Amino acid sequence: MKRNPYFSQLSPSYLFSEIKDRVQRMHEHHPHISLINLSLGNTSEPLGCSTADALCQAATDLKNPSSHTGYGPEGGLLILREAICNTIYHNAVSPDEIFVSDGAKSDISRLQLLIGPMTHVAVQDPSYPAYAESCRLGRSSDPSFFSYLPSPLFSKPLLCTVPDNAVLFLCSPNNPTGEVFTHAELETLISHARRHQQIIVYDTAYQAFIQGDYPRSIYEIHGAEEVAIEIGSFSKMAGFCGLRLGWTAIPHALRYTDGQRINPDFCRLVATVFNGASLLSQQGGIQVLSLEGQKECQRQIDLYRKNTHLLQTALVQKKISVSGGRHAPFLWVKTEHKNSWDAFDFFLEKMGIVVCPGVGFGPLGEGHIRICGFGNPASVAEAASRIDRL
Ligand code: PLP
């Protein structure tokens, strides 16, 4: 077999592998230093009790011959799809427009199969690296097929650089900057997309962290159902990073440039490449979306917010330029006079804190690092006091 030539378009090592290697080297050379990892967007709080109980019950059901089930429906259990429509979308979306998945990241890749190799894809810069990486793996990175869009991207001239019929990957709240789109900004983006027959893929993995009057879903904006696919995740909302559960919404009103509907194609694609999300995770997800489950999630989110605030205060006191932190558990730190990886090494060597180099999120991330508010409160407090002692 010949190597897929698109592998050579990926950066030599995926961001988090390079971080792991550097941390490993630090461990080997300084085994006595206890490192605090604030680099990964990995939840640290245990599952809510009622959700854990629902998972145990689902396992018990699978153990009994009378309640055992094999494969579930590829698009997800109807009761979960209904709960997503109810709780997340306030019924602005219907259950047959929801496709339950094993996480947002898998759906980002599956969407590349839907988009195909000949459509131009534009990705916010900086943003979650999976958009650009999954894009590069399946298509030429020639500028006629791929471009970065500097973020924030609300100016019309900037949007006009994206060709007609293109797909735009947007993320709100943005990972890594924590920026969130306003209603007015989304209206601009949607009307621009309608005029230019573009499709927006809107990733809401951190929507549960949004505070104040900002859209939690693109479907809050009139007309979005004609131009937008939305990706959601249970990972950060409910601590499902390891359990794996997410969804993609493909409204019936969404059409290709030739007028055909996109939803049936995604349905076909899911049936071809996926046998559905784990039934255990789905039962957990149903509980997460109940009143009790949502209260448990809120407690976790409040804790991550406190963590983020503590770190932000420590950085601000050191006169370090920092943004984000309000709508996502991320602090976006400007690394004066240092490039991202030098700043990464500085935090690692001087404070034993592992951060994420901003350049891993796109070229405009250079000169920044991302610090996460996930982590148990004791280690976050220790990180804050290390920053304080700097
Ligand atoms: N989308 C964004 C913006 C993310 O930051 C992440 C993970 O960090 C994901 C999606 C992945 O979500 P999941 O765990 O559901 O695959």
Side-chain angles (χ1 to χ4, degrees):
M1 176 176 113
K2 282 192 183 159
R3 187 180 191 227
N4 173 349
Y6 297 141
F7 271 107
S8 57
Q9 295 182 161
L10 297 181
S11 44
S13 76
Y14 187 66
L15 174 68
F16 296 113
S17 325
E18 176 64 24
I19 292 175
K20 213 165 128 195
D21 290 349
R22 290 189 188 215
V23 168
Q24 180 69 28
R25 284 200 293 276
M26 177 77 180
H27 260 311
E28 282 162 14
H29 293 128
H30 305 281
H32 55 283
I33 296 182
S34 81
L35 298 179
I36 302 172
N37 194 338
L38 301 178
S39 73
L40 294 174
N42 203 357
T43 50
S44 48
E45 283 304 290
L47 285 180
C49 288
S50 77
T51 301
D53 289 347
L55 290 167
C56 293
Q57 183 58 51
T60 305
D61 289 347
L62 287 179
K63 194 173 74 173
N64 293 330
S66 59
S67 48
H68 172 83
T69 45
Y71 291 120
E74 292 105 353
L77 298 170
L78 179 60
I79 181 167
L80 175 57
R81 288 186 283 128
E82 284 171 346
I84 292 171
C85 291
N86 251 307
T87 311
I88 306 286
Y89 294 120
H90 309 292
N91 297 317
V93 170
S94 66
D96 53 358
E97 294 174 311
I98 299 288
F99 297 86
V100 175
S101 73
D102 54 347
K105 196 176 201 175
S106 316
D107 269 348
I108 291 164
S109 289
R110 275 193 282 268
L111 282 173
Q112 297 296 347
L113 290 174
L114 180 82
I115 297 165
M118 302 310 287
T119 295
H120 185 101
V121 174
V123 169
Q124 251 180 305
D125 179 15
S127 68
Y128 183 47
Y131 313 133
E133 299 267 288
S134 65
C135 222
R136 288 195 186 108
L137 207 49
R139 66 183 50 241
S140 160
S141 58
D142 181 283
S144 49
F145 295 110
F146 177 83
S147 58
Y148 275 119
L149 264 182
S151 184
L153 40 85
F154 315 122
S155 72
K156 283 226 176 91
L158 207 58
L159 281 178
C160 287
T161 62
V162 182
D164 288 3
N165 306 321
V167 172
L168 280 77
F169 276 83
L170 305 178
C171 180
S172 181
N174 180 277
N175 173 12
T177 64
E179 283 167 342
V180 71
F181 287 116
T182 63
H183 288 85
E185 285 160 355
L186 281 185
E187 274 160 21
T188 306
L189 285 163
I190 288 166
S191 73
H192 187 273
R194 287 172 84 151
R195 276 199 307 283
H196 295 272
Q197 297 196 299
Q198 295 164 341
I199 299 278
I200 296 170
V201 176
Y202 197 70
D203 182 342
T204 61
Y206 297 92
Q207 58 83 21
F209 286 86
I210 295 176
Q211 302 188 73
D213 185 21
Y214 291 90
R216 268 76 172 159
S217 159
I218 196 163
Y219 302 126
E220 289 178 31
I221 314 300
H222 177 70
E225 67 286 356
E226 288 174 17
V227 294
I229 291 172
E230 185 161 298
I231 299 177
S233 172
F234 284 76
S235 289
K236 320 295 159 126
M237 165 174 64
F240 271 42
C241 290
L243 273 168
R244 314 301 305 137
L245 193 66
W247 70 88
T248 288
I250 314 252
H252 293 305
L254 202 62
R255 290 178 186 270
Y256 293 110
T257 37
D258 67 2
Q260 291 196 63
R261 284 171 47 218
I262 297 180
N263 179 295
D265 274 0
F266 197 68
C267 207
R268 178 78 173 82
L269 191 147
V270 165
T272 306
V273 303
F274 187 46
N275 271 336
S278 147
L279 291 175
L280 291 188
S281 300
Q282 292 192 64
Q283 290 297 345
I286 292 166
Q287 181 57 31
V288 161
L289 296 175
S290 71
L291 222 53
E292 193 181 3
Q294 288 288 287
K295 275 190 198 147
E296 290 171 350
C297 293
Q298 195 54 54
R299 278 198 287 275
Q300 297 178 6
I301 286 163
D302 288 346
L303 183 142
Y304 297 134
R305 278 197 186 125
K306 262 194 205 147
N307 281 351
T308 311
H309 184 69
L310 194 65
L311 292 166
Q312 187 165 25
T313 307
L315 290 162
V316 168
Q317 273 170 2
K318 285 284 154 189
K319 308 241 174 321
I320 295 172
S321 165
V322 54
S323 60
R326 179 160 164 74
H327 305 294
F330 299 129
L331 298 169
W332 189 235
V333 178
K334 206 161 167 34
T335 60
E336 312 286 346
H337 318 303
K338 279 191 174 59
N339 72 33
S340 291
W341 278 110
D342 286 348
F344 170 92
D345 288 336
F346 178 81
F347 269 72
L348 186 62
E349 288 157 18
K350 301 282 182 224
M351 291 171 266
I353 298 175
V354 186
V355 298
C356 204
V359 71
F361 297 93
L364 290 183
E366 182 53 284
H368 294 82
I369 52 168
R370 186 196 72 179
I371 301 182
C372 278
F374 293 119
N376 76 60
S379 34
V380 168
E382 169 59 20
S385 72
R386 286 185 195 181
I387 294 169
D388 212 38
R389 291 199 296 273
L390 186 66

